[in-house]
Amino acid sequence: MNFKVTGLGLDKMRLDSPQSFLDTEEVEEGEDQQLLEPEAWRTYMEHRNVLREFLTSDLSPHLLKRHHARMQLLKKCSYYIEVLPKHLALGDQNPLVLPNTMFQLIDPWKFQRMKKVGTAQTKIQLLLLGDLLEQLDRGRAELDALLESPDPRPFLAGWGLVEQRLADLSAVMDNFLAMMVPGRLHIKHRLVSDIGATKIPHIRLMLSTKMPVMFDRKESVAHQDWVSLRWFVTIQPAVPEQFELRFKLLEPRTQQECTQCGIIPVATCTFDVHNLLPNRTYKFTVKRAESYTLVYEPWRDSLTLQTTPGPPGGPAPSRLGEPQSGPW
């Protein structure tokens, strides 16, 4: 690329010409070039291209935005312990190594201790993911500012530090991606008590993730004295799941109205709640039913709906509120 600015005729060019902006950028680069020898200038431009390529591919705004979205999703997921055979030889039909029978061999008290370990490990993992993502955001901002620096000389003088920063941020990104997947639980003590068997199975515990259960806000509708609720899971499980639906009347006015609440076990992703009061606001929450292997569930979806005041055919059903997080 030729960065000479002589003969551009800037004094004769109209300022509203699109070409004037391109030539102005070349003038600025030409002014920067005058601060360096030709060889140093070529080195400077090579280094700038390396930095620009890193910021547009390895650490692009679009990529960081995707990671932030995935991080928010992980904060809404449910985490479970999965019990697996440590080494299952091909053709080994020993029933003691099958997952569904291993639970019968695991000491319940020790397993409860491991669930606490799983809870702590999951919380730490989410905190570390958040910290790594913040490091990537800060690194992106620092490198952006460096790329926009008007003086090329500090950029060249500190290129060794810049290269180290690129390597560090690449390592942070690798750690972030590796930590996105829940890993193995570290067992300090044997979970299987002495069962008098000649061969005690070797097991391993893994943390597994289930996508959050979320209300379908388009299909969940309130009527005069009942509501029709729909929810979904982003990734459908291989086997049907059980759910727990809760509802309660907000701002009850009498003691009897305080009974307008309940907990309903549901085996599908749809349910109609009847015998509600007209023209009143209700809060609904949904989550998976309690499981023996659940270790951490920081979020559950909630939805607020208001029943209609008139007879059927009156005002259109209304939907209130956005997804909320909380223990209820």
Side-chain angles (χ1 to χ4, degrees), residues 173-315:
M173 179 65 79
D174 290 341
N175 290 336
F176 178 82
L177 294 176
M179 202 174 292
M180 291 289 281
V181 181
R184 179 176 177 178
L185 271 176
H186 302 287
I187 307 174
K188 294 184 178 180
H189 306 286
R190 196 172 69 180
L191 293 180
V192 180
S193 302
D194 186 4
I195 57 176
T198 57
K199 182 180 179 181
I200 297 178
H202 295 283
I203 63 175
R204 57 194 172 106
L205 300 183
M206 302 289 292
L207 282 174
S208 63
T209 306
K210 290 186 179 181
M211 292 294 104
V213 182
M214 304 183 70
F215 279 111
D216 186 333
R217 281 165 165 73
K218 292 183 178 180
E219 297 297 328
S220 297
V221 181
H223 302 273
Q224 182 183 3
D225 58 356
W226 64 285
V227 297
S228 177
L229 299 172
R230 303 289 186 273
W231 56 87
F232 63 91
V233 180
T234 306
I235 301 177
Q236 290 297 326
V239 295
E241 292 189 290
Q242 303 292 317
F243 302 97
E244 178 186 283
L245 175 67
R246 298 191 180 202
F247 75 97
K248 69 174 180 179
L249 172 66
L250 299 181
E251 301 180 1
R253 300 165 188 169
T254 65
Q255 192 66 30
Q256 185 176 4
E257 287 185 356
C258 291
T259 62
Q260 285 270 312
C261 62
I263 303 175
I264 308 170
V266 185
T268 62
C269 290
T270 176
F271 193 81
D272 297 339
V273 183
H274 291 269
N275 300 319
L276 302 179
L277 299 175
N279 199 26
R280 301 296 293 275
T281 302
Y282 288 83
K283 182 178 180 180
F284 304 89
T285 62
V286 65
K287 71 180 191 71
R288 290 183 178 87
E290 289 293 333
S291 169
Y292 182 61
T293 59
L294 176 67
V295 296
Y296 190 53
E297 189 178 43
W299 183 89
R300 65 188 62 174
D301 196 15
S302 64
L303 175 67
T304 305
L305 293 174
Q306 181 174 324
T307 53
T308 59

Side-chain angles (χ1 to χ4, degrees), residues 10-30:
L10 294 177
D11 55 332
K12 300 179 181 179
M13 185 173 293
R14 293 177 55 190
L15 293 180
D16 59 352
S17 168
Q19 183 63 34
S20 66
F21 294 102
L22 298 177
D23 292 341
T24 300
E25 183 178 347
E26 291 186 5
V27 168
E28 292 174 354
E29 289 188 354

